Amino acid sequence: MRQVKHRNSASKILILGTVFLFTFFNPVFAQDEAAVDNVAATEASSGGDVAKGEELFKSLCAACHKRYKKMTGPALFGVADKYEREWIYSWVKNSAAMVASGDPQAVAIYEEYNKTAMNAFPQLSNTDIDNIMAYVMVPKADPPPPPTDPSVKGGGDGSGVSMNVILAILALVFLMLLVVLFLVNKTLRSFAAANNVELPESEARTPIWKAFIQNQFLVLVTAIFLLLSSGYFVYGYFMQVGVDQGYAPIQPIHYSHKIHAGDNQIECKYCHSSARVSKTSGIPSLNVCMNCHKSISEVADATATPDHSKEFYDGEIQKLYDAVGWDASAQAYTGKTKPVKWVRIHNLPDFAYFNHSQHVSVAGVECQTCHGPVEEMEIMYQHAPLTMGWCINCHRETNVKVADNKYYEKIHKELSKKYGVEQLTAAQMGGLECGKCHY
């Protein structure tokens, strides 16, 4: 019997491939550099409590001051080194009195900030002010450096191998398996030839497509199935024309309803004030945004999400400043404005009439009824289909609120007697008439 050479080549290749695979899958962990903690040193030098100072600063000072950036008032980092501590005590407790007394430092600050008087805080003790000074004197932490290896994704708990590397390794393993199968097949055929073993030949069969055509019953059933399926999908496609449920366009300035309406609980009608009195809810003026963002030039660290970093949100606020022409450092408008081309999300056809004030003010319908859980939406999208059937179902299921509403008092009394019910739906009060929405 002849021996077939290299019969163990396949197993050798498999072993080498396994070693190669484990070499590539060895996880790489990026160690974050530990940030320098300056809190203890600051407390020791200032004699204050940083934690208590942070609490006082956020409740009393954050509306006008930031630690490292100028706002309505000056940046407070370094202020303890610039002024005497006794002078700071007097300034915080009653700045107006110091300006009136002619104190040169007090007058200089008063003149620099457009003669805007600082609020007095006589309730604060010297210890409280020391605590605030301890907090504002903590040096700003340097941002962590980006990972040097582009194949490594930075993360708080470590990082993993890039998806491209994993896909490349899987493709290599698949290729190695094909090579192994080819070598095994070649080895077996060589072994059979060396031992004069005849390999069976496959019998010729009728091609499956020819057998299918020759069977008239299968052809008939398939044709009927294809016709019915085509009709179903064509009908479904045309029924979706003009239905934009789930539509979530990218806006020129990223606006998070989750942060504003959810985390900060800003009422919808504060920004969309025309929804109370107008047919449309309106696009809020950027001046409405600046009511808050004159003082909020950056978000809190806790606002960051896995999808959107703090730097991303701060950059979007800068887009707002650029549009309205606001100079955050000078706390003044430059007069140079730019239009913001917002992308409309909810859009009814022209032949359908819808009045926001009728639903919001008269009927008392909540915004979430049509627009969904807005307070949870990072990116605003169309929640409801806004089709005719969807509106009709709402009119059929929603009772009309007649409490303290004299407009509906008489008609509700007569119709409730006619239908024999205590509560009338919008449909029972004419909400299904064509002329209500189409005229």
Side-chain angles (χ1 to χ4, degrees):
M1 180 182 296
R2 290 175 56 189
Q3 294 184 353
V4 181
K5 298 181 179 181
H6 310 295
R7 61 186 177 185
N8 294 324
S9 58
S11 59
K12 292 180 180 179
I13 292 175
L14 187 60
I15 294 173
L16 289 175
T18 305
V19 174
F20 183 74
L21 180 64
F22 276 101
T23 301
F24 266 87
F25 267 102
N26 185 27
V28 180
F29 295 97
Q31 297 181 353
D32 297 330
E33 295 184 3
V36 179
D37 186 6
N38 297 300
V39 174
T42 306
E43 287 181 345
S45 61
S46 64
D49 188 315
V50 172
K52 293 180 180 178
E54 180 180 6
E55 183 179 353
L56 289 170
F57 178 87
K58 290 182 176 179
S59 62
L60 301 176
C61 312
C64 299
H65 294 280
K66 289 186 179 296
R67 287 192 290 177
Y68 314 113
K69 184 184 296 185
K70 180 180 178 182
M71 206 168 72
T72 305
L76 295 184
F77 177 71
V79 69
D81 298 333
K82 189 175 180 181
Y83 301 102
E84 296 292 335
R85 187 55 60 95
E86 292 298 328
W87 186 93
I88 294 176
Y89 294 155
S90 301
W91 173 261
V92 173
K93 293 178 181 179
N94 194 346
S95 62
M98 297 187 68
V99 173
S101 67
D103 183 275
Q105 291 179 318
V107 172
I109 296 175
Y110 182 69
E111 294 288 343
E112 181 181 356
Y113 288 90
N114 301 320
K115 297 183 178 181
T116 302
M118 173 180 163
N119 293 336
F121 298 99
Q123 74 276 18
L124 293 178
S125 64
N126 291 350
T127 302
D128 293 334
I129 298 175
D130 287 337
N131 293 337
I132 296 175
M133 290 298 104
Y135 172 68
V136 301
M137 289 298 292
V138 176
K140 187 176 183 179
D142 296 330
T148 56
D149 187 359
S151 65
V152 177
K153 297 179 180 179
D157 300 327
S159 58
V161 182
S162 170
M163 285 299 300
N164 292 332
V165 176
I166 295 176
L167 292 176
I169 293 173
L170 292 177
L172 180 61
V173 172
F174 181 72
L175 181 61
M176 290 172 58
L177 289 176
L178 291 178
V179 172
V180 169
L181 291 176
F182 174 76
L183 293 175
V184 170
N185 183 51
K186 184 178 180 181
T187 301
L188 291 176
R189 286 184 177 277
S190 300
F191 185 79
N195 290 276
N196 298 321
V197 177
E198 295 183 1
L199 298 176
E201 297 182 0
S202 58
E203 299 179 359
R205 295 181 180 180
T206 303
I208 188 169
W209 62 270
K210 185 178 290 187
F212 175 79
I213 293 176
Q214 292 174 354
N215 192 323
Q216 297 181 357
F217 176 75
L218 286 179
V219 172
L220 178 62
V221 171
T222 303
I224 295 174
F225 175 77
L226 291 176
L227 286 174
L228 293 176
S229 300
S230 300
Y232 174 79
F233 286 108
V234 168
Y235 174 80
Y237 172 77
F238 282 114
M239 287 300 294
Q240 292 300 315
V241 173
V243 179
D244 298 320
Q245 187 175 14
Y247 177 54
I250 301 299
Q251 301 291 352
I253 299 178
H254 180 85
Y255 181 89
S256 173
H257 280 80
K258 179 180 181 298
I259 293 176
H260 293 81
D263 298 343
N264 295 316
Q265 298 183 354
I266 299 176
E267 187 187 8
C268 300
K269 293 183 281 293
Y270 174 78
C271 300
H272 300 280
S273 57
S274 58
R276 299 187 182 97
V277 295
S278 174
K279 173 185 175 182
T280 62
S281 61
I283 300 175
S285 168
L286 295 183
N287 291 330
V288 176
C289 305
M290 292 303 294
N291 288 341
C292 298
H293 281 287
K294 276 186 178 180
S295 302
I296 303 174
S297 60
E298 59 184 37
V299 300
D301 294 334
T303 307
T305 65
D307 296 327
H308 301 92
S309 63
K310 180 183 184 300
E311 290 74 17
F312 171 80
Y313 286 121
D314 293 345
E316 298 304 302
I317 296 176
Q318 293 304 316
K319 290 182 182 179
L320 171 64
Y321 288 171
D322 187 47
V324 300
W326 174 256
D327 187 346
S329 59
Q331 289 289 296
Y333 287 103
T334 62
K336 298 178 181 179
T337 61
K338 297 179 181 178
V340 178
K341 299 180 180 179
W342 299 107
V343 181
R344 185 167 185 168
I345 301 175
H346 304 85
N347 191 19
L348 292 178
D350 293 339
F351 55 78
Y353 177 82
F354 179 87
N355 191 309
H356 272 83
S357 63
Q358 184 178 2
H359 290 77
V360 174
S361 298
V362 179
V365 177
E366 296 292 335
C367 301
Q368 287 81 353
T369 303
C370 300
H371 295 289
V374 177
E375 68 280 0
E376 301 174 4
M377 297 182 185
E378 179 66 31
I379 297 178
M380 185 66 186
Y381 62 90
Q382 181 176 317
H383 174 76
L386 301 182
T387 59
M388 179 176 174
W390 182 80
C391 295
I392 287 176
N393 285 337
C394 184
H395 282 191
R396 287 171 174 166
E397 298 170 358
T398 305
N399 291 326
V400 176
K401 296 180 180 179
V402 294
D404 301 325
N405 193 334
K406 295 182 179 180
Y407 180 85
Y408 288 109
E409 185 175 348
K410 182 178 179 181
I411 189 173
H412 182 272
K413 182 178 180 180
E414 294 177 355
L415 289 178
S416 60
K417 182 178 180 180
K418 173 183 177 181
Y419 292 113
V421 294
E422 294 293 332
Q423 288 287 336
L424 289 173
T425 63
Q428 290 172 325
M429 296 194 64
L432 299 186
E433 296 178 6
C434 301
K436 294 290 185 180
C437 304
H438 307 288
Y439 58 89

